[in-house]
Amino acid sequence: MSDAVSALAGVAYSGTIKIEDAGPRGMILLRGDLADTDLKNAATSISALDFPDTGVAKCAGERGLCWMSPDELLVLVPYTERAKTLKTIAATLGSKHHLAADVSDARAVFRLSGDNLAIREVLAKLTPADMRPKSLPNGHLRRTRLAQVPAAFWFHTDTLAELICFRSVAQYVFGILKISAAPGSEVGHF
């Protein structure tokens, strides 16, 4: 079996912020009734994190629970734990209505680091989402688009955000992030 590689093989750029390919990440799409106790227990036992509220990403290290829609979670795990995670979900939920799918190799993850307002400005140039800190506080997830492609992002802290997009558009996303973060491109939005 070949070794896992991320979409852009660890590429990075430093401009007004630092943009990095975060490497392979285990991502399990979990769909079902998010109010169901068994589904909540499956998700929280895998992640060791509290179940997220609407629009929230609960993350610690490589683990996370990201609320994606009223019936969808994105469960983040180390890349090597994907198969084990799927088995745990299947064992916990049994025949209860749900869908668990490994989407790890279909997605790319970027880490954005630097000054909080600089990260927000870089994203604000590319998305229609309201990037003001009061509208998107740390830990809140936003599904939107960057230029012409779908993406989701959230701030872990004031100086670190993560962005997920489809692997097929990773090079495009990296390119537009680089342009938006180019020194001298600041617009002073925030």
Side-chain angles (χ1 to χ4, degrees), residues 31 46 80 117 174:
R31 295 195 78 142
I46 290 163
T80 57
L117 296 181
F174 183 68

Side-chain angles (χ1 to χ4, degrees), residues 18-79:
K18 186 170 186 180
I19 304 159
E20 303 171 272
D21 172 5
R25 175 81 61 82
M27 291 181 255
I28 307 299
L29 176 82
L30 179 58
R31 295 195 78 142
D33 179 359
L34 299 189
D36 181 73
T37 302
D38 291 335
L39 187 138
K40 285 182 177 183
N41 288 341
T44 57
S45 68
I46 290 163
S47 65
L49 296 165
D50 292 336
F51 198 81
D53 291 329
T54 300
V56 171
K58 298 272 188 171
C59 299
E62 290 188 76
R63 296 190 181 282
L65 296 175
C66 301
W67 184 95
M68 301 301 279
S69 74
D71 69 345
E72 179 182 345
L73 280 180
L74 186 63
V75 180
L76 304 175
V77 296
Y79 189 81

Side-chain angles (χ1 to χ4, degrees), residues 136-177:
L136 186 64
N138 294 348
H140 284 214
L141 181 133
R142 182 63 39 93
R143 283 181 85 167
T144 185
R145 61 183 166 81
L146 290 181
Q148 301 300 314
V149 298
F153 48 80
W154 64 95
F155 285 81
H156 287 275
T157 67
D158 284 341
T159 59
L160 177 65
E162 277 195 301
L163 183 147
I164 295 174
C165 65
F166 288 110
R167 183 182 184 106
S168 60
V169 296
Q171 185 65 56
Y172 172 76
V173 169
F174 183 68
I176 61 175
L177 287 169

Side-chain angles (χ1 to χ4, degrees), residues 99-120:
L99 168 70
D102 181 358
V103 296
S104 309
D105 293 330
R107 307 284 191 269
V109 182
F110 292 97
R111 239 185 325 272
L112 311 176
S113 58
D115 175 75
N116 184 263
L117 296 181
I119 297 170
R120 289 175 185 280

